[in-house]
Amino acid sequence: MAEKAYTVKLGDVSRLLGKIAKEKYDVIVPTTQDGDVLYLPFKDGMGVVMDHGNPLTPPKEFFLPQTDELVKYKKEGKGFKAEVAKSSLDCKRVLFGIRPCDVHALMCIDLPFKDTYDDSYYLQKRANTLILAMTCNEPGDNCFCASMGCGPDLDDNYDLLFTNIGDMLYVKVGTDEGKNLIDTAPEFFDEADKKDAKARSAKIKEVENKFKRKLDTKKLGRLKDKFDDPTWQEMADRCIKCGGCNYICPSCYCFNVVDRTYGDDGVRERSWDGCMLEGFTRMAGGANPRQANVERMKQRYYHKLQYFNDRYGRHLCVGCGRCTDVCPVEINMVDYVNKIIGGA
Amino acid sequence: MASEYLPKQAEILSVKKETADTSRFRMKFVDPADREAFEYQPGQFVEISVMGAGEVPISITSSPLIDKGYFELCIRDTGKVTREIHKLGEGDIVGIRGPYGNSFDIKSMQGKEVLFVVGGLGLAPLRPVINGVVASRDEYKGVKILYGARTPGDMLFNEDLDEWSKIDGVEVLTTVDRADDSWKGNVGVVPKLFEKTEIEPKKTVAVICGPGIMIKFVMKDLLGMGFKEKDIWLTMERHMKCGIGKCGHCNIGTKYVCIDGPVFTFDQIKDLPDPY
Ligand SMILES: Cc1cc2nc3c(=O)[nH]c(=O)nc-3n(C[C@H](O)[C@H](O)[C@H](O)COP(=O)(O)OP(=O)(O)OC[C@H]3O[C@@H](n4cnc5c(N)ncnc54)[C@H](O)[C@@H]3O)c2cc1C
Ligand code: SF4
Ligand code: SF4
Ligand code: FES
C-alpha cells in the first residue's frame, strides 16, 4: 500500500464540505430534491446524500453544460466585434460524490476534446474541478459498469476517493491537490487503520456481487459483423426518437451551435444535440445520410461500442444504465446488445 | 482564455456572380496578423459566419499559389446562413475560422495522369487542386477535367475552364443534364464523359467531387475500369458545426470528416457505413 489513507465520520461530511466551501471552492454535492438525487451547489445545512445509487442525471452538465456560451458579439455598422464569452467557471470547484462510472465518462469526453484542437471551455472546467469520487454503494437495476471496467471501484483519475464503510467514509488520496484539501481541514480526518482498509475491500466485493446485469464485453468484437442484424430494425421500430438516451448519457458529448441575438448584441452558444434525432446529419437541400431511424440507432450503438474504441482505445459507454432507465419504450441496452453479439 | 471558436474578421473585397444561386466572394482578413497567419492547402475549408445567422463550412476555392493577399469562397445560396452571406457585398465584414481539414497531396500524384471528375459545386474545392497541378504541368503525365452541371447556366468558373483547356496536355470535357438552345456540347450525366476519352487506369489517379449520387456511379465505373482504391481521391460532405472534431455531427465510423477529411482516398473510407 503506497498512499496514506484516512477516514471521515459520516456525521462530519456536511461540516467538512461547509469548511471547504468557505475556502476558495465552489462545492457540488448529491442531494435530494423532490424525491430524486441530483447534483446541486452545496449550501450550508444542506443534506448530502451518501448512501444512494447513482443520481438520475450525470454530472456532465458541470463540464459540458446543456447550453454554454462560446462567443459574445456585437453587430456594428458593416461588421461585428466578437470576444470569447466569459467562462462559467473561473474559480476552483469541488465535485463531491461523483461515481466511478461518471468519472470514466469524463475520461471519455476528454479524448475528443483534446484531439487535434483543445476545447478550452470544457478543459478549463475539467482542470478547475477537483474530483472527490465515491465508490458505488448499490448498483441500480440497469447498471453494468463492472462489465465495462468502469466500476464499482476507481483506480485513478480522482483527487480523493471515498467509500462508505458504515458509519464513516474511507478516503484514498489520488493527487497532491486532494491531499491539500485534507490539509485545509485536518480536524475531520483520522488516519485509516488495517481494519478500515478491510472494511473498504469488503464493501467493494459486496457491491461487485450485486450486479444484475452483465454485458458480454468479450464478444463486442463481433459487432463488426452484425451491421445487418435484424435486431437493429426491431429496436428502431420501437424507438420513438425522443433523444432521451443521448441527453441522459454521461459520455454523450455531441452539440449544436446557435446564435442568439438581442438587438445588436448576441451570443453564440452550444447546446446538447443527439445522434438519435433526425436533423442531426441533415444537410442543405434535405439530403440526410442517416435518414432512417435504424441508421441512427446503429450509429449510437456502434459509436459507443466500436468506433470510439477503434479510434481512442476505450468504449464510449461506461455502463451507468441511465439510457435504459429513461427510455420510454424500454429499449434495454444490455439485453439487445447481448442478443446481437450472442452474449450471456 | 484562448478559443478556437472565436471567428476572425474578414472584409469582403468583391462578389462575382457565377450562376443564379452561386457567387464567388473575395475577401481578406482585417487584421494583418491574421492575414500573415492564414496559410492553406488545396482541399481545406473555413468556417464562415454571419453573426446572428450562424456558421457554415465552405471550401477555399482560391489557390495559395496564385491568389496573394486575399482568398476566395464560392458559395451557393441554399439555406439560413448562406442566404445571409448572399445579402452581403463589398466592405461588409464576415467571421472566419480556419483553415480546417486535410488537403490533397498533389505531389504524390506526380508522374501520373490526373483525372478530375467533377459535378456542380464540386468544382469549387477542386479548383485550387487543378490550379496546383497545372502550375507544374510538366511533373504530371497529363490532366483531364470532366465536369458536369445541371444546365449550361449552372456551369461554374467558365473562364477557368477556358484557360485550362488551352494548356498543352490538359483536356477539358463538359456536359449538362439538361441543355438549352445555346448549348452545343455534351448532354448527359458526368460518367457518360468516360466514353469520350482514353483513360489508362494503371497510370492515372482520379480526383472526384460532386453530389453523392454522382460519386456513387463514378466510383462504380472507376473500379470497373481497374483503378486502384488508393488512386481514387474524393472529398466527403457531412453536416458540420464545429469544424474541429468536437461536436460529433460529421462523425462517420472512426472518422471525423472535419479533422480527418474532407479529403480521403477510397481505401480509407470504403468500409465506412454509407460514405456517400
Ligand atoms: C467540407 C465542406 C465544404 C463545403 N464547401 C462548400 C462550398 O465551397 N460552397 C458551398 O456553397 N457549400 C459548401 N459546403 C456546403 C455548405 O456548408 C452548406 O451548404 C451550408 O452549411 C448550408 O448552410 P445553411 O445554413 O445555408 O443551410 P441550412 O439548410 O439552413 O442548414 C442549417 C445548418 O446545417 C448545417 N449544414 C447543412 N447543410 C450542410 C452541408 N451540406 N454541409 C455541412 N453542414 C451543413 C450547417 O451547420 C447549417 O448552418 C461545404 C460543406 C462541407 C462539409
Ligand atoms: S450508453 Fe447508456 S449505459 Fe452507456 S454510458 Fe451512456 S447512458 Fe450509460
Ligand atoms: S430513449 Fe429510447 S425511445 Fe428515446 S431515442 Fe433513445 S432509444 Fe429511442
Ligand atoms: S464538424 Fe464538429 S466534429 Fe466535425
Side-chain angles (χ1 to χ4, degrees), chain B residues 93-133:
Chain B
I93 309 280
V94 294
I96 297 283
R97 296 192 289 127
Y100 293 133
N102 67 352
S103 56
F104 287 93
D105 181 6
I106 56 173
K107 275 229 164 73
S108 75
M109 302 173 191
Q110 288 183 352
K112 296 221 173 179
E113 175 154 280
V114 188
L115 167 70
F116 293 93
V117 189
V118 199
L121 199 50
L123 195 52
L126 291 193
R127 187 169 164 256
V129 188
I130 297 173
N131 277 327
V133 170

Side-chain angles (χ1 to χ4, degrees), chain B residues 81-203:
Chain B
V81 179
T82 50
R83 189 172 313 130
E84 289 306 316
I85 297 171
H86 274 258
K87 289 181 191 160
L88 303 177
E90 197 184 320
D92 285 328
I93 309 280
V94 294
I96 297 283
R97 296 192 289 127
Y100 293 133
N102 67 352
S103 56
F104 287 93
D105 181 6
I106 56 173
K107 275 229 164 73
S108 75
M109 302 173 191
Q110 288 183 352
K112 296 221 173 179
E113 175 154 280
V114 188
L115 167 70
F116 293 93
V117 189
V118 199
L121 199 50
L123 195 52
L126 291 193
R127 187 169 164 256
V129 188
I130 297 173
N131 277 327
V133 170
V134 300
S136 332
R137 165 65 194 88
D138 294 345
E139 305 290 337
Y140 300 85
K141 199 167 148 282
V143 179
K144 286 192 169 70
I145 301 165
L146 277 44
Y147 179 49
R150 274 172 300 175
T151 71
D154 289 315
M155 295 278 233
L156 296 172
F157 304 113
N158 284 302
E159 291 149 33
D160 293 302
L161 289 166
D162 226 40
E163 285 299 314
W164 293 329
S165 69
K166 286 181 200 149
I167 301 169
D168 208 25
V170 179
E171 185 182 358
V172 177
L173 291 170
T174 56
T175 182
V176 294
D177 293 347
R178 274 172 287 120
D180 58 18
D181 295 342
S182 71
W183 184 255
K184 307 269 178 311
N186 300 303
V187 179
V189 294
V190 182
K192 283 213 129 189
L193 293 174
F194 289 140
E195 299 160 9
K196 312 256 172 194
T197 183
E198 284 292 316
I199 295 167
E200 292 180 88
K202 298 253 138 34
K203 296 177 184 158

Side-chain angles (χ1 to χ4, degrees), chain B residues 4 33 50 60 83 91 124 132 146 156 169 175 188 219 222-224 271:
Chain B
E4 192 57 41
V50 177
I60 307 171
R83 189 172 313 130
L146 277 44
L156 296 172
T175 182
M219 282 308 309
L222 293 179
L223 293 170
D271 295 327

